[in-house]
Amino acid sequence: MTGYKIRTATEQDIDFLWEMLYQAIFIAEGDVKPSREILNQPDLSKYVSNWGRQGDIALIATDSSENPVGAIWSRLFDETNKTYGFIDKNTPVLSMAVLPEYRGLGLGTLLLNEMIRTAKDSGFTSLSLSVDPNNPALRLYERQGFVKVGIDGTSWDMMTTLENK
């Protein structure tokens, strides 16, 4: 795990966030990954479109050459603009992905730990997310204290409180 760093995203990282949104789409082994056109669907595009609004937080993992290799971001939604993993208007919804060739190296843990710290420092008391129960990332979320609070379609809504972190 040497040489990887986490930094706050800048406006120049928005294209990378779109790529990470695509990479975050869980595809079961043997299934075909959808076309990138899927990112135009409103239920997915809302995770990144108009990035930079109040409450948006994004962190980028970089390799030793400072190339982005992963990202985690959180965004607030409300009753009129719900999304997968939505709990309430005060709980940011997390999204996270790491480029395929960098998976399994601990970058997800690094990103998630830093996001938990950043969200807590920003005054948030909880975080939520949506995950397919067959996604290996589920174990990472559980290790970080996320618990299942509901089911939306085939995915689990999970949440963690930040008071004791």
Side-chain angles (χ1 to χ4, degrees), residues 11-165:
E11 197 173 299
Q12 286 71 40
D13 292 308
I14 292 173
D15 286 345
F16 186 68
L17 288 180
W18 282 104
E19 174 60 25
M20 290 295 90
L21 179 60
Y22 181 73
Q23 294 297 330
I25 299 168
F26 176 71
I27 305 301
E29 195 163 327
D31 287 354
V32 177
K33 196 142 180 127
S35 149
R36 289 179 187 276
E37 295 296 312
I38 196 169
L39 297 179
N40 295 326
Q41 293 181 7
D43 61 335
L44 284 178
S45 66
K46 67 173 65 177
Y47 286 93
V48 179
S49 63
N50 301 312
W51 187 261
R53 65 184 203 211
Q54 184 75 26
D56 286 354
I57 300 171
L59 303 171
I60 306 292
T62 59
D63 65 13
S64 57
S65 300
E66 298 190 17
N67 296 308
V69 297
I72 189 167
W73 64 102
S74 65
R75 180 165 244 195
L76 291 168
F77 294 94
D78 63 30
E79 293 289 334
T80 65
N81 187 28
K82 290 183 184 181
T83 191
Y84 305 111
F86 175 80
I87 303 296
D88 61 49
K89 66 183 173 80
N90 300 311
T91 301
V93 177
L94 279 184
S95 301
M96 179 173 67
V98 173
L99 290 173
E101 59 270 31
Y102 291 89
R103 292 178 186 160
L105 302 175
L107 284 169
T109 300
L110 199 64
L111 282 163
L112 190 53
N113 285 339
E114 189 63 19
M115 177 56 85
I116 287 169
R117 187 191 64 71
T118 301
K120 189 174 180 182
D121 289 351
S122 298
F124 294 109
T125 58
S126 57
L127 290 168
S128 67
L129 56 83
S130 175
V131 64
D132 185 298
N134 297 310
N135 187 331
L138 174 64
R139 284 174 284 298
L140 165 64
Y141 301 138
E142 289 174 333
R143 281 195 310 271
Q144 295 297 327
F146 282 83
V147 295
K148 179 180 170 186
V149 294
I151 297 176
D152 187 354
T154 59
S155 293
W156 291 4
D157 291 339
M158 299 185 82
M159 182 176 146
T160 190
T161 54
L162 304 179
E163 285 89 30
N164 301 322
K165 297 207 181 293

